[in-house]
Amino acid sequence: MRSIWNGAISFGLVSIPIKLMNATENHSISFRQIHTEDGGRIRYRKVCEVEEREVAASEIGKAYEDADGTMIPITDEDLASLPIPTARTIEIVAFVPADRIDPLQMDTAYYLSANGVPAAKPYTLLREALKRSHKVAIAKFALRGRERLGMLRVVDDVIAMHGLLWPDEIRASDSVAPDAGVTVRDKELDLADALMDTLGEVDLADLHDDYREAVEEMIAAKASGEEAPSAPSAAKSDGKVIDLMSALENSVRQARAARGEDSDSGSDSGSGEAEVKPLRKGAARKSSRAEPKPPSGKKPAKTAAAKKTTSGAGAKKAASKTASTSKKTASKKSAAETKKTTPRKRASA
């Protein structure tokens, strides 16, 4: 990798010569401007307003425009002679836990490489100290005409530095939150949790830029004279959620289906769907035996009397059956005793 800046890390009285290299690269597809009638390139030329002629890059410098429009020339020598210690130094000012850094502040990432053999020992010392402390270093450095804030941390076996925005460069979020007071129910939170659990985690290495791949396929098709692939028609949406619960439930089902899971599994964990339960036997018997209410104007006493009469008749029938059964049993016993007694008398005669 090509270095974009050479300097040193100031770690107390220890100075570590380093090279600064970009840790990221841009894969975006760039386009040129053309004249739509004939396809000719559109180019911008740098023209001096005073002489009204095009000037070369070697003739172009920097200047600061004052409020009244006056141009104050600034040279590279002026910037290099500024009385700041971070002109060629990454000055470490503090060590803090990593969770103290707001991700909103994080900007461009760089790799710091030891510059030369003598720098290997102090470089390794700082790297191991950062690993053991589980902290990050906050530093100040000057790059591209301005002083910046940075965060040093260990990535694999390399010290990486993230450019940080200054705290006053972060806008307040007061005017971004919804104005009206919104209440979220526990059932909606349960569905949101279920959706998060269903989506699960992902390995960031498996994610890729679908838009860039589609643009590359379209360019390749047009270059070979083929028809460019057409995008599937997307469902129109006005951005309004009609039923939040229904949308969450459908999202959970779709996420489970995409992962090959049963869409009905886990429905008892706050899915909001009605559950059909079988009727209990006791309740069924009670409902079948329930008597209809008497019509208005009639007394329910007759019904009660009828019930008593019916129960009395049933009791009499049961008593008569018991009496007849006992009589039959008694007659059978007496007959058996008679039979036993008779042979004994004949034997004695």
Side-chain angles (χ1 to χ4, degrees):
M1 286 184 281
R2 185 175 61 89
S3 63
I4 61 172
W5 185 86
N6 292 343
I9 300 175
S10 176
F11 179 32
L13 296 178
V14 179
S15 180
I16 309 171
I18 53 96
K19 295 178 181 179
L20 189 72
M21 293 165 283
N22 284 317
T24 60
E25 56 187 5
N26 189 2
H27 291 165
S28 299
I29 298 175
S30 59
F31 297 100
R32 305 294 186 187
Q33 291 182 335
I34 61 170
H35 188 200
T36 55
E37 291 186 3
D38 54 19
R41 285 280 305 274
I42 302 297
R43 299 183 182 275
Y44 293 93
R45 291 181 169 85
K46 299 178 180 180
V47 178
C48 174
E49 293 181 351
V50 177
E51 299 181 4
E52 295 184 352
R53 68 175 181 88
E54 185 178 355
V55 296
S58 58
E59 301 178 76
I60 299 174
K62 292 187 283 287
Y64 175 79
E65 185 177 1
D66 206 353
D68 58 358
T70 304
M71 294 294 178
I72 303 173
I74 305 295
T75 64
D76 292 338
E77 291 75 14
D78 295 332
L79 296 175
S81 61
L82 289 175
I84 55 173
T86 58
R88 283 290 171 184
T89 304
I90 300 174
E91 183 183 10
I92 296 177
V93 296
F95 292 89
V96 299
D99 56 6
R100 289 269 302 276
I101 305 300
D102 190 343
L104 281 174
Q105 288 186 255
M106 299 182 71
D107 199 5
T108 310
Y110 307 94
Y111 287 140
L112 305 182
S113 172
N115 191 4
V117 177
K121 178 74 173 181
Y123 182 96
T124 306
L125 173 64
L126 176 60
R127 183 192 67 193
E128 296 304 315
L130 288 171
K131 280 184 180 180
R132 191 166 71 173
S133 65
H134 301 289
K135 293 183 177 181
V136 297
I138 303 301
K140 295 169 68 176
F141 65 102
L143 181 65
R144 298 191 178 112
R146 56 169 294 193
E147 188 175 50
R148 301 167 184 261
L149 198 61
M151 178 189 73
L152 276 63
R153 68 185 185 97
V154 179
V155 177
D156 297 329
D157 288 331
V158 177
I159 298 176
M161 181 174 69
H162 294 269
L164 298 179
L165 299 174
W166 296 99
D168 59 358
E169 293 178 320
I170 305 297
R171 293 180 176 178
S173 60
D174 301 340
S175 60
V176 182
D179 296 334
V182 179
T183 303
V184 179
R185 295 179 295 170
D186 291 339
K187 203 173 265 188
E188 294 169 340
L189 280 175
D190 292 340
L191 278 174
D193 291 340
L195 178 58
M196 292 168 63
D197 294 338
T198 304
L199 292 175
E201 298 181 357
V202 66
D203 185 0
L204 294 180
D206 297 335
L207 302 178
H208 55 278
D209 189 349
D210 294 328
Y211 179 80
R212 179 171 61 87
E213 291 182 357
V215 171
E216 290 175 346
E217 291 177 3
M218 180 263 294
I219 293 174
K222 291 178 75 69
S224 59
E226 300 177 359
E227 185 178 357
S230 59
S233 57
K236 293 183 179 180
S237 174
D238 56 0
K240 296 180 180 179
V241 179
I242 304 302
D243 187 352
L244 183 58
M245 291 290 292
S246 177
L248 287 171
E249 289 172 1
N250 292 334
S251 299
V252 172
R253 292 193 193 98
Q254 290 178 4
R256 285 175 179 158
R259 294 170 66 91
E261 298 178 3
D262 186 6
S263 60
D264 295 332
S265 62
S267 60
D268 57 343
S269 60
S271 63
E273 296 182 356
E275 184 179 0
V276 180
K277 296 183 178 179
L279 192 63
R280 291 181 299 175
K281 292 182 178 180
R285 288 176 182 174
K286 287 181 181 179
S287 61
S288 62
R289 291 181 181 179
E291 296 290 338
K293 288 185 178 182
S296 58
K298 293 184 179 181
K299 297 180 180 179
K302 292 182 179 180
T303 307
K307 288 184 179 179
K308 288 183 180 180
T309 306
T310 305
S311 60
K316 286 179 181 180
K317 287 181 180 180
S320 62
K321 285 182 180 181
T322 306
S324 61
T325 305
S326 60
K327 286 179 181 179
K328 289 179 181 180
T329 305
S331 62
K332 285 182 181 181
K333 286 183 179 180
S334 60
E337 289 176 356
T338 306
K339 288 180 181 181
K340 288 180 181 179
T341 309
T342 306
R344 286 180 182 175
K345 287 182 180 181
R346 289 178 181 177
S348 60

